[in-house]
Amino acid sequence: MTKSLKATGNQLADSAFQLTVLRQEVVDVLHLPPFHQKMAEVGLFPLRPVAPAVLQINVGKMCNQVCKHCHVDAGPDRKEIMTRETMQLCLDALAQTDIPTVDLTGGAPEMNPDFRWFVAEISKLGRKVLVRCNLTIIVANKKYHDLPEFFKEHGVEVVSSLPFYSADKTDRQRGDGVFADSIKALQMLNAVGYGQPGSGLVLNLVYNPAGAFMPGPQAGLEQQFKRALLKDFGIVFNSLFAITNIPVSRFLDYLIESGNYAGYMEKLVTAFNPTAATGVMCRDTISVGWDGGLYDCDFNQMLDLHVASTSQHIRDFDAAALAQRPIVVNQHCYGCTAGAGSSCGGTVA
Ligand code: SF4
Ligand code: SF4
């Protein structure tokens, strides 16, 4: 895959079409309950937020990679990026709250020309910054080689995807040569102290399955990754987050093209776990899109499902109104509530 769904004119680039496909499969074909009904059965509908702990900001869809499973449909051909004006609105909103953590995502967030300014300004507000760094960006171009030092200077927590500790599985999902570049980048992060015991510089990895199956137990995977990366490459890291692939965008396309769609949705619905449903990340997260729109999570953002609130854009950020909102759910949410559950921080149950 070298281009986004949008660039190739794929119908699944249309969020309304994705929602239709999701509903048809779950409700009309598999005759399974729609997500809101399943939540109602366990007393979780409408789903309500708790106090926000994370402001997750998607600073753009531009990326140096075109991963097969990407829920953002990101890639070098995506030009949507957050302007400095919108970043300033985020800072103004943040200053009105005591939200402790800002989670910067993309695309490759570092490709936004105002990324470093934004990180510095968020730090000045005394909030923790977490960056979802795809690793390869660090080695992609000379201008990014000093990112590890920059992250260190601002005490950024780095969260990076590495689908597996071997080249074949990683490259199949993320592109040729991605594993080798990711290893180089991890070694550069380790060299400045990231992941090293006692350094206080946190480096977490994200594992997601390479196909139409749910992740195995997170603790076991973490041990496997730690052993293999240390033995083969001398790499250390803090924690591994095991996440379930959500059936949105390019992963939805993969499921349909590979003939795994019905089976995967059935697996997710059958594995519905009320404890995981209680802990879904949208309850304590507010998500901001590249254009300043507000959402319950990054997945809803990609499906154009805006928050059900009078506060629809970061310029009209109203914490009190947002606290009253019902969270917008749909069939893709089954990915967050299956088995041990899934969030940007790994399992939840
Ligand atoms: S999954 Fe991450 S690294 Fe891969 S294309 Fe999407 S945004 Fe880029
Ligand atoms: S997809 Fe988003 S809205 Fe749905 S359960 Fe997961 S985090 Fe919540």
Side-chain angles (χ1 to χ4, degrees):
M1 180 171 278
T2 54
K3 285 186 174 171
S4 65
L5 296 177
K6 188 172 182 202
T8 54
N10 188 309
Q11 251 191 312
L12 284 174
D14 174 7
S15 55
F17 182 71
Q18 287 187 59
L19 288 169
T20 304
V21 168
L22 282 160
R23 179 168 175 99
Q24 276 171 350
E25 194 65 30
V26 172
V27 180
D28 304 335
V29 178
L30 293 168
H31 303 294
L32 293 165
F35 186 76
H36 72 271
Q37 190 180 316
K38 198 80 179 169
M39 292 293 269
E41 284 169 18
V42 295
L44 285 172
F45 188 79
L47 185 63
R48 296 285 178 188
V50 296
V54 179
L55 188 69
Q56 188 174 60
I57 305 175
N58 192 313
V59 297
K61 298 187 178 186
M62 193 181 284
C63 192
N64 58 316
Q65 291 184 189
V66 195
C67 306
K68 273 192 190 139
H69 67 292
C70 183
H71 74 274
V72 179
D73 195 25
D77 57 58
R78 300 302 300 260
K79 305 298 175 216
E80 303 92 329
I81 54 162
M82 185 176 274
T83 61
R84 190 180 280 216
E85 289 70 30
T86 306
M87 288 177 175
Q88 185 59 57
L89 294 173
C90 293
L91 294 166
D92 297 344
L94 198 60
Q96 296 169 33
T97 75
D98 54 5
I99 297 175
T101 300
V102 177
D103 179 341
L104 298 179
T105 188
E110 303 89 343
M111 291 177 83
N112 184 309
D114 292 310
F115 169 77
R116 294 190 193 216
W117 172 81
F118 197 31
V119 170
E121 293 298 311
I122 299 166
S123 298
K124 281 187 205 161
L125 290 175
R127 315 303 163 97
K128 181 169 100 176
V129 184
L130 194 152
V131 173
R132 298 196 177 263
C133 170
N134 72 11
L135 295 174
T136 61
I137 192 69
I138 295 175
V139 296
N141 184 297
K142 221 168 49 199
K143 67 181 173 182
Y144 300 120
H145 289 355
D146 66 339
L147 277 169
E149 285 84 1
F150 172 78
F151 291 151
K152 179 179 179 173
E153 187 189 333
H154 294 281
V156 167
E157 181 174 322
V158 177
V159 182
S160 295
S161 275
L162 189 72
F164 212 61
Y165 45 80
S166 65
D168 53 344
K169 283 191 183 158
T170 298
D171 288 1
R172 218 178 304 142
Q173 189 178 118
R174 291 174 82 78
D176 287 346
V178 165
F179 183 75
D181 284 351
S182 300
I183 292 298
K184 265 186 240 159
L186 285 169
Q187 287 167 335
M188 289 164 74
L189 286 161
N190 277 176
V192 301
Y194 271 96
Q196 304 285 2
S199 70
L201 296 170
V202 178
L203 171 62
N204 293 324
L205 297 185
V206 176
Y207 159 87
N208 65 291
F213 55 93
M214 281 158 47
Q218 182 169 276
L221 281 163
E222 182 178 291
Q223 287 317 311
Q224 280 179 42
F225 268 70
K226 282 196 165 168
R227 263 198 306 272
L229 289 176
L230 183 64
K231 180 169 111 5
D232 297 342
F233 308 104
I235 288 169
V236 290
F237 65 95
N238 295 93
S239 301
L240 181 87
F241 303 151
I243 65 167
T244 303
N245 289 310
I246 305 294
V248 168
S249 195
R250 294 214 286 262
F251 189 67
L252 180 58
D253 180 55
Y254 156 79
L255 289 172
I256 295 169
E257 291 299 313
S258 64
N260 283 301
Y261 182 33
Y264 189 70
M265 291 312 293
E266 197 165 15
K267 244 182 254 174
L268 295 184
V269 179
T270 311
F272 179 82
N273 176 356
T275 308
T278 308
V280 283
M281 65 180 169
C282 46
R283 299 194 76 185
D284 70 356
T285 302
I286 296 169
S287 156
V288 189
W290 68 273
D291 59 356
L294 297 180
Y295 304 85
D296 296 300
C297 74
D298 206 54
F299 302 113
N300 281 11
Q301 195 182 122
M302 301 314 149
L303 290 167
D304 289 321
L305 296 169
H306 282 262
V307 278
S309 170
T310 47
S311 182
Q312 287 267 313
H313 191 276
I314 195 70
R315 85 170 74 82
D316 311 311
F317 186 85
D318 179 343
L322 287 164
Q324 301 303 316
R325 77 194 194 276
I327 291 168
V328 177
V329 295
N330 212 290
Q331 315 321 320
H332 62 296
C333 299
Y334 274 119
C336 293
T337 58
S342 182
S343 75
C344 287
T347 57
V348 296

PDB file of all heavy atoms in Angstrom, residues 35 47 246 280-283 296-300 327-330 332-337 342, ligand 2:
ATOM      1  N   PHE A  35     -24.522  -1.848  18.901  1.00  0.00           N
ATOM      2  CA  PHE A  35     -23.703  -1.592  20.086  1.00  0.00           C
ATOM      3  C   PHE A  35     -24.488  -0.914  21.208  1.00  0.00           C
ATOM      4  O   PHE A  35     -24.356  -1.277  22.374  1.00  0.00           O
ATOM      5  CB  PHE A  35     -22.467  -0.763  19.709  1.00  0.00           C
ATOM      6  CG  PHE A  35     -21.513  -0.585  20.847  1.00  0.00           C
ATOM      7  CD1 PHE A  35     -20.675  -1.616  21.243  1.00  0.00           C
ATOM      8  CD2 PHE A  35     -21.469   0.600  21.556  1.00  0.00           C
ATOM      9  CE1 PHE A  35     -19.796  -1.464  22.315  1.00  0.00           C
ATOM     10  CE2 PHE A  35     -20.600   0.765  22.630  1.00  0.00           C
ATOM     11  CZ  PHE A  35     -19.764  -0.271  23.006  1.00  0.00           C
ATOM     12  N   LEU A  47     -23.842   6.218  27.438  1.00  0.00           N
ATOM     13  CA  LEU A  47     -22.529   6.190  28.081  1.00  0.00           C
ATOM     14  C   LEU A  47     -22.147   7.620  28.461  1.00  0.00           C
ATOM     15  O   LEU A  47     -22.227   8.527  27.630  1.00  0.00           O
ATOM     16  CB  LEU A  47     -21.512   5.601  27.099  1.00  0.00           C
ATOM     17  CG  LEU A  47     -20.090   5.380  27.606  1.00  0.00           C
ATOM     18  CD1 LEU A  47     -20.049   4.371  28.743  1.00  0.00           C
ATOM     19  CD2 LEU A  47     -19.196   4.895  26.452  1.00  0.00           C
ATOM     20  N   ILE A 246      -9.396  -1.582  15.494  1.00  0.00           N
ATOM     21  CA  ILE A 246     -10.793  -1.155  15.403  1.00  0.00           C
ATOM     22  C   ILE A 246     -11.212  -1.186  13.923  1.00  0.00           C
ATOM     23  O   ILE A 246     -10.447  -0.736  13.058  1.00  0.00           O
ATOM     24  CB  ILE A 246     -10.955   0.281  15.988  1.00  0.00           C
ATOM     25  CG1 ILE A 246     -10.404   0.339  17.432  1.00  0.00           C
ATOM     26  CG2 ILE A 246     -12.416   0.743  15.945  1.00  0.00           C
ATOM     27  CD1 ILE A 246     -11.137  -0.465  18.466  1.00  0.00           C
ATOM     28  N   VAL A 280     -13.896   2.189  28.927  1.00  0.00           N
ATOM     29  CA  VAL A 280     -13.470   2.688  27.604  1.00  0.00           C
ATOM     30  C   VAL A 280     -12.886   4.106  27.721  1.00  0.00           C
ATOM     31  O   VAL A 280     -13.325   4.906  28.554  1.00  0.00           O
ATOM     32  CB  VAL A 280     -14.635   2.667  26.569  1.00  0.00           C
ATOM     33  CG1 VAL A 280     -14.879   1.265  26.064  1.00  0.00           C
ATOM     34  CG2 VAL A 280     -15.909   3.278  27.131  1.00  0.00           C
ATOM     35  N   MET A 281     -11.912   4.375  26.869  1.00  0.00           N
ATOM     36  CA  MET A 281     -11.116   5.613  27.034  1.00  0.00           C
ATOM     37  C   MET A 281     -11.900   6.896  26.772  1.00  0.00           C
ATOM     38  O   MET A 281     -11.547   7.959  27.287  1.00  0.00           O
ATOM     39  CB  MET A 281      -9.877   5.568  26.141  1.00  0.00           C
ATOM     40  CG  MET A 281     -10.179   5.571  24.671  1.00  0.00           C
ATOM     41  SD  MET A 281      -8.663   5.526  23.715  1.00  0.00           S
ATOM     42  CE  MET A 281      -9.315   5.196  22.089  1.00  0.00           C
ATOM     43  N   CYS A 282     -12.974   6.801  25.976  1.00  0.00           N
ATOM     44  CA  CYS A 282     -13.743   8.020  25.668  1.00  0.00           C
ATOM     45  C   CYS A 282     -14.356   8.633  26.923  1.00  0.00           C
ATOM     46  O   CYS A 282     -14.738   9.800  26.915  1.00  0.00           O
ATOM     47  CB  CYS A 282     -14.848   7.702  24.661  1.00  0.00           C
ATOM     48  SG  CYS A 282     -15.763   6.205  25.061  1.00  0.00           S
ATOM     49  N   ARG A 283     -14.440   7.882  27.994  1.00  0.00           N
ATOM     50  CA  ARG A 283     -15.055   8.422  29.209  1.00  0.00           C
ATOM     51  C   ARG A 283     -14.188   9.496  29.860  1.00  0.00           C
ATOM     52  O   ARG A 283     -14.707  10.391  30.514  1.00  0.00           O
ATOM     53  CB  ARG A 283     -15.337   7.290  30.205  1.00  0.00           C
ATOM     54  CG  ARG A 283     -16.312   6.277  29.617  1.00  0.00           C
ATOM     55  CD  ARG A 283     -16.858   5.359  30.654  1.00  0.00           C
ATOM     56  NE  ARG A 283     -17.871   6.020  31.471  1.00  0.00           N
ATOM     57  CZ  ARG A 283     -18.450   5.464  32.525  1.00  0.00           C
ATOM     58  NH1 ARG A 283     -18.094   4.242  32.895  1.00  0.00           N
ATOM     59  NH2 ARG A 283     -19.357   6.113  33.198  1.00  0.00           N
ATOM     60  N   ASP A 296     -15.442  12.341  20.787  1.00  0.00           N
ATOM     61  CA  ASP A 296     -15.253  11.522  21.985  1.00  0.00           C
ATOM     62  C   ASP A 296     -13.955  10.712  21.918  1.00  0.00           C
ATOM     63  O   ASP A 296     -13.429  10.305  22.947  1.00  0.00           O
ATOM     64  CB  ASP A 296     -16.442  10.579  22.157  1.00  0.00           C
ATOM     65  CG  ASP A 296     -17.729  11.345  22.410  1.00  0.00           C
ATOM     66  OD1 ASP A 296     -17.782  12.071  23.414  1.00  0.00           O
ATOM     67  OD2 ASP A 296     -18.658  11.247  21.592  1.00  0.00           O
ATOM     68  N   CYS A 297     -13.485  10.428  20.724  1.00  0.00           N
ATOM     69  CA  CYS A 297     -12.206   9.689  20.574  1.00  0.00           C
ATOM     70  C   CYS A 297     -11.718   9.845  19.143  1.00  0.00           C
ATOM     71  O   CYS A 297     -12.438  10.353  18.277  1.00  0.00           O
ATOM     72  CB  CYS A 297     -12.380   8.210  20.919  1.00  0.00           C
ATOM     73  SG  CYS A 297     -13.268   7.276  19.652  1.00  0.00           S
ATOM     74  N   ASP A 298     -10.506   9.383  18.898  1.00  0.00           N
ATOM     75  CA  ASP A 298      -9.887   9.500  17.573  1.00  0.00           C
ATOM     76  C   ASP A 298     -10.638   8.660  16.523  1.00  0.00           C
ATOM     77  O   ASP A 298     -10.666   9.009  15.347  1.00  0.00           O
ATOM     78  CB  ASP A 298      -8.420   9.045  17.671  1.00  0.00           C
ATOM     79  CG  ASP A 298      -7.534   9.690  16.607  1.00  0.00           C
ATOM     80  OD1 ASP A 298      -7.534  10.927  16.517  1.00  0.00           O
ATOM     81  OD2 ASP A 298      -6.851   8.950  15.872  1.00  0.00           O
ATOM     82  N   PHE A 299     -11.251   7.554  16.962  1.00  0.00           N
ATOM     83  CA  PHE A 299     -11.999   6.717  16.002  1.00  0.00           C
ATOM     84  C   PHE A 299     -13.266   7.443  15.563  1.00  0.00           C
ATOM     85  O   PHE A 299     -13.600   7.484  14.377  1.00  0.00           O
ATOM     86  CB  PHE A 299     -12.345   5.355  16.621  1.00  0.00           C
ATOM     87  CG  PHE A 299     -11.138   4.610  17.071  1.00  0.00           C
ATOM     88  CD1 PHE A 299     -10.906   4.361  18.423  1.00  0.00           C
ATOM     89  CD2 PHE A 299     -10.205   4.146  16.157  1.00  0.00           C
ATOM     90  CE1 PHE A 299      -9.779   3.683  18.847  1.00  0.00           C
ATOM     91  CE2 PHE A 299      -9.062   3.471  16.568  1.00  0.00           C
ATOM     92  CZ  PHE A 299      -8.852   3.246  17.917  1.00  0.00           C
ATOM     93  N   ASN A 300     -13.979   8.018  16.537  1.00  0.00           N
ATOM     94  CA  ASN A 300     -15.173   8.803  16.175  1.00  0.00           C
ATOM     95  C   ASN A 300     -14.794   9.959  15.259  1.00  0.00           C
ATOM     96  O   ASN A 300     -15.534  10.315  14.345  1.00  0.00           O
ATOM     97  CB  ASN A 300     -15.843   9.346  17.447  1.00  0.00           C
ATOM     98  CG  ASN A 300     -16.673   8.283  18.154  1.00  0.00           C
ATOM     99  OD1 ASN A 300     -16.591   7.099  17.816  1.00  0.00           O
ATOM    100  ND2 ASN A 300     -17.459   8.692  19.122  1.00  0.00           N
ATOM    101  N   ILE A 327     -21.915  10.062  25.311  1.00  0.00           N
ATOM    102  CA  ILE A 327     -20.859   9.714  24.349  1.00  0.00           C
ATOM    103  C   ILE A 327     -21.499   9.055  23.120  1.00  0.00           C
ATOM    104  O   ILE A 327     -22.413   8.230  23.253  1.00  0.00           O
ATOM    105  CB  ILE A 327     -19.825   8.787  25.036  1.00  0.00           C
ATOM    106  CG1 ILE A 327     -19.062   9.601  26.086  1.00  0.00           C
ATOM    107  CG2 ILE A 327     -18.878   8.172  24.019  1.00  0.00           C
ATOM    108  CD1 ILE A 327     -18.218   8.781  27.040  1.00  0.00           C
ATOM    109  N   VAL A 328     -21.018   9.449  21.950  1.00  0.00           N
ATOM    110  CA  VAL A 328     -21.581   8.917  20.697  1.00  0.00           C
ATOM    111  C   VAL A 328     -20.941   7.552  20.420  1.00  0.00           C
ATOM    112  O   VAL A 328     -19.714   7.448  20.301  1.00  0.00           O
ATOM    113  CB  VAL A 328     -21.291   9.895  19.530  1.00  0.00           C
ATOM    114  CG1 VAL A 328     -21.811   9.328  18.211  1.00  0.00           C
ATOM    115  CG2 VAL A 328     -21.903  11.259  19.823  1.00  0.00           C
ATOM    116  N   VAL A 329     -21.767   6.532  20.342  1.00  0.00           N
ATOM    117  CA  VAL A 329     -21.232   5.186  20.088  1.00  0.00           C
ATOM    118  C   VAL A 329     -21.809   4.629  18.790  1.00  0.00           C
ATOM    119  O   VAL A 329     -22.848   5.069  18.323  1.00  0.00           O
ATOM    120  CB  VAL A 329     -21.528   4.220  21.266  1.00  0.00           C
ATOM    121  CG1 VAL A 329     -20.802   4.658  22.528  1.00  0.00           C
ATOM    122  CG2 VAL A 329     -23.021   4.082  21.517  1.00  0.00           C
ATOM    123  N   ASN A 330     -21.120   3.636  18.244  1.00  0.00           N
ATOM    124  CA  ASN A 330     -21.574   2.990  17.022  1.00  0.00           C
ATOM    125  C   ASN A 330     -20.944   1.591  16.978  1.00  0.00           C
ATOM    126  O   ASN A 330     -20.233   1.204  17.914  1.00  0.00           O
ATOM    127  CB  ASN A 330     -21.199   3.848  15.802  1.00  0.00           C
ATOM    128  CG  ASN A 330     -22.227   3.709  14.693  1.00  0.00           C
ATOM    129  OD1 ASN A 330     -22.323   2.667  14.063  1.00  0.00           O
ATOM    130  ND2 ASN A 330     -23.009   4.753  14.474  1.00  0.00           N
ATOM    131  N   HIS A 332     -18.392   0.253  15.591  1.00  0.00           N
ATOM    132  CA  HIS A 332     -16.932   0.106  15.717  1.00  0.00           C
ATOM    133  C   HIS A 332     -16.517   0.012  17.182  1.00  0.00           C
ATOM    134  O   HIS A 332     -15.450  -0.518  17.497  1.00  0.00           O
ATOM    135  CB  HIS A 332     -16.225   1.290  15.051  1.00  0.00           C
ATOM    136  CG  HIS A 332     -16.535   2.609  15.676  1.00  0.00           C
ATOM    137  ND1 HIS A 332     -17.789   3.158  15.671  1.00  0.00           N
ATOM    138  CD2 HIS A 332     -15.762   3.488  16.363  1.00  0.00           C
ATOM    139  CE1 HIS A 332     -17.770   4.318  16.307  1.00  0.00           C
ATOM    140  NE2 HIS A 332     -16.544   4.541  16.739  1.00  0.00           N
ATOM    141  N   CYS A 333     -17.372   0.520  18.096  1.00  0.00           N
ATOM    142  CA  CYS A 333     -17.042   0.516  19.530  1.00  0.00           C
ATOM    143  C   CYS A 333     -16.892  -0.905  20.079  1.00  0.00           C
ATOM    144  O   CYS A 333     -16.272  -1.090  21.140  1.00  0.00           O
ATOM    145  CB  CYS A 333     -18.112   1.263  20.319  1.00  0.00           C
ATOM    146  SG  CYS A 333     -18.265   2.993  19.851  1.00  0.00           S
ATOM    147  N   TYR A 334     -17.434  -1.889  19.378  1.00  0.00           N
ATOM    148  CA  TYR A 334     -17.234  -3.277  19.825  1.00  0.00           C
ATOM    149  C   TYR A 334     -15.741  -3.614  19.923  1.00  0.00           C
ATOM    150  O   TYR A 334     -15.353  -4.498  20.684  1.00  0.00           O
ATOM    151  CB  TYR A 334     -17.922  -4.252  18.868  1.00  0.00           C
ATOM    152  CG  TYR A 334     -19.388  -4.498  19.188  1.00  0.00           C
ATOM    153  CD1 TYR A 334     -20.386  -4.180  18.270  1.00  0.00           C
ATOM    154  CD2 TYR A 334     -19.772  -5.082  20.400  1.00  0.00           C
ATOM    155  CE1 TYR A 334     -21.723  -4.417  18.554  1.00  0.00           C
ATOM    156  CE2 TYR A 334     -21.115  -5.329  20.691  1.00  0.00           C
ATOM    157  CZ  TYR A 334     -22.086  -4.997  19.767  1.00  0.00           C
ATOM    158  OH  TYR A 334     -23.405  -5.236  20.053  1.00  0.00           O
ATOM    159  N   GLY A 335     -14.911  -2.906  19.164  1.00  0.00           N
ATOM    160  CA  GLY A 335     -13.459  -3.145  19.231  1.00  0.00           C
ATOM    161  C   GLY A 335     -12.859  -2.743  20.570  1.00  0.00           C
ATOM    162  O   GLY A 335     -11.856  -3.309  21.006  1.00  0.00           O
ATOM    163  N   CYS A 336     -13.470  -1.768  21.235  1.00  0.00           N
ATOM    164  CA  CYS A 336     -12.940  -1.287  22.525  1.00  0.00           C
ATOM    165  C   CYS A 336     -13.432  -2.135  23.700  1.00  0.00           C
ATOM    166  O   CYS A 336     -12.871  -2.030  24.796  1.00  0.00           O
ATOM    167  CB  CYS A 336     -13.367   0.153  22.777  1.00  0.00           C
ATOM    168  SG  CYS A 336     -12.640   1.334  21.648  1.00  0.00           S
ATOM    169  N   THR A 337     -14.479  -2.905  23.496  1.00  0.00           N
ATOM    170  CA  THR A 337     -15.117  -3.604  24.625  1.00  0.00           C
ATOM    171  C   THR A 337     -14.938  -5.120  24.560  1.00  0.00           C
ATOM    172  O   THR A 337     -15.525  -5.841  25.358  1.00  0.00           O
ATOM    173  CB  THR A 337     -16.624  -3.283  24.658  1.00  0.00           C
ATOM    174  OG1 THR A 337     -17.212  -3.670  23.402  1.00  0.00           O
ATOM    175  CG2 THR A 337     -16.874  -1.809  24.885  1.00  0.00           C
ATOM    176  N   SER A 342      -9.746  -2.358  24.934  1.00  0.00           N
ATOM    177  CA  SER A 342      -8.659  -1.727  24.208  1.00  0.00           C
ATOM    178  C   SER A 342      -8.796  -0.211  24.275  1.00  0.00           C
ATOM    179  O   SER A 342      -9.897   0.325  24.199  1.00  0.00           O
ATOM    180  CB  SER A 342      -8.709  -2.183  22.743  1.00  0.00           C
ATOM    181  OG  SER A 342      -7.645  -1.637  22.019  1.00  0.00           O
TER     182      SER A 342
HETATM  183  S1  SF4 B   2     -14.585   3.719  19.623  1.00  0.00           S
HETATM  184 FE1  SF4 B   2     -14.407   5.629  20.766  1.00  0.00          FE
HETATM  185  S2  SF4 B   2     -16.502   6.108  21.400  1.00  0.00           S
HETATM  186 FE2  SF4 B   2     -16.453   3.953  20.872  1.00  0.00          FE
HETATM  187  S3  SF4 B   2     -16.053   2.892  22.796  1.00  0.00           S
HETATM  188 FE3  SF4 B   2     -14.093   3.197  21.748  1.00  0.00          FE
HETATM  189  S4  SF4 B   2     -13.286   5.071  22.620  1.00  0.00           S
HETATM  190 FE4  SF4 B   2     -15.501   5.022  23.090  1.00  0.00          FE
END
